[in-house]
């Protein structure tokens, strides 16, 4: 098992989770974070830290796509280990549906 970040993170990109991760397995895209499934030690401390509830165990059904997305972009996006301010409009995107299709970008973030 590993944890993944799903589309609830897109355009919200709260980074509370990165500070509690003991193995620094978060990677930053332009408008979301991902977890490297090979680095994640399945401790689960990040899950309750996410205000958007975007972090889930990969054992939940229907998350296969997100496991692939996390693995793919963790390999190319920069590592993030320090909490940053969320986007000013993050709360406006908390309950928006279809965020992957509407807003996802493959562009990397800045990392630490």
């Amino acid at each position: 098992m590993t944890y993944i970040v799903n589309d609830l993170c897109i355009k919200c990109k709260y980074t509370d989770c990165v500070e509690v991760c003991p193995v620094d397995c978060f990677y930053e895209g332009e408008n979301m974070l991902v977890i490297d499934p090979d680095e994640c030690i399945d401790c689960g401390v990040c899950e309750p830290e996410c205000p958007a509830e975007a972090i889930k165990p990969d054992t939940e059904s229907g998350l296969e796509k997100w496991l692939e997305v996390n693995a793919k972009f963790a390999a190319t996006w920069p590592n993030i280990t320090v909490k940053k301010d969320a986007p000013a409009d993050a709360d406006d995107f908390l309950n928006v549906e279809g965020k992957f299709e509407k807003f996802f970008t493959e562009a990397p973030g800045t990392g630490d």
Side-chain angles (χ1 to χ4, degrees):
M1 184 182 88
T2 187
Y3 283 81
I4 57 89
V5 179
N6 63 28
D7 60 334
L8 296 177
C9 183
I10 297 171
K11 297 287 276 182
C12 292
K13 198 170 128 178
Y14 300 104
T15 56
D16 306 65
C17 53
V18 304
E19 283 197 321
V20 299
C21 181
V23 294
D24 299 334
C25 66
F26 282 89
Y27 293 81
E28 184 184 15
E30 181 178 39
N31 65 5
M32 78 173 290
L33 304 176
V34 295
I35 293 172
D36 186 327
D38 292 329
E39 293 176 0
C40 178
I41 59 171
D42 314 325
C43 68
V45 297
C46 59
E47 185 178 18
E49 297 300 319
C50 181
E53 298 181 6
I55 300 173
K56 301 290 180 191
D58 74 338
T59 53
E60 288 189 16
S61 64
L63 296 179
E64 298 80 12
K65 166 188 176 176
W66 291 105
L67 181 58
E68 291 176 19
V69 167
N70 279 247
K72 177 180 178 180
F73 293 102
T76 59
W77 288 351
N79 190 240
I80 179 171
T81 61
V82 178
K83 182 179 176 179
K84 297 179 179 181
D85 291 336
D89 60 352
D91 290 345
D92 297 338
F93 287 93
L94 275 175
N95 298 310
V96 173
E97 299 213 5
K99 293 199 296 185
F100 186 77
E101 295 76 18
K102 293 176 187 174
F103 306 115
F104 178 76
T105 172
E106 294 186 9
T110 57
D112 286 344

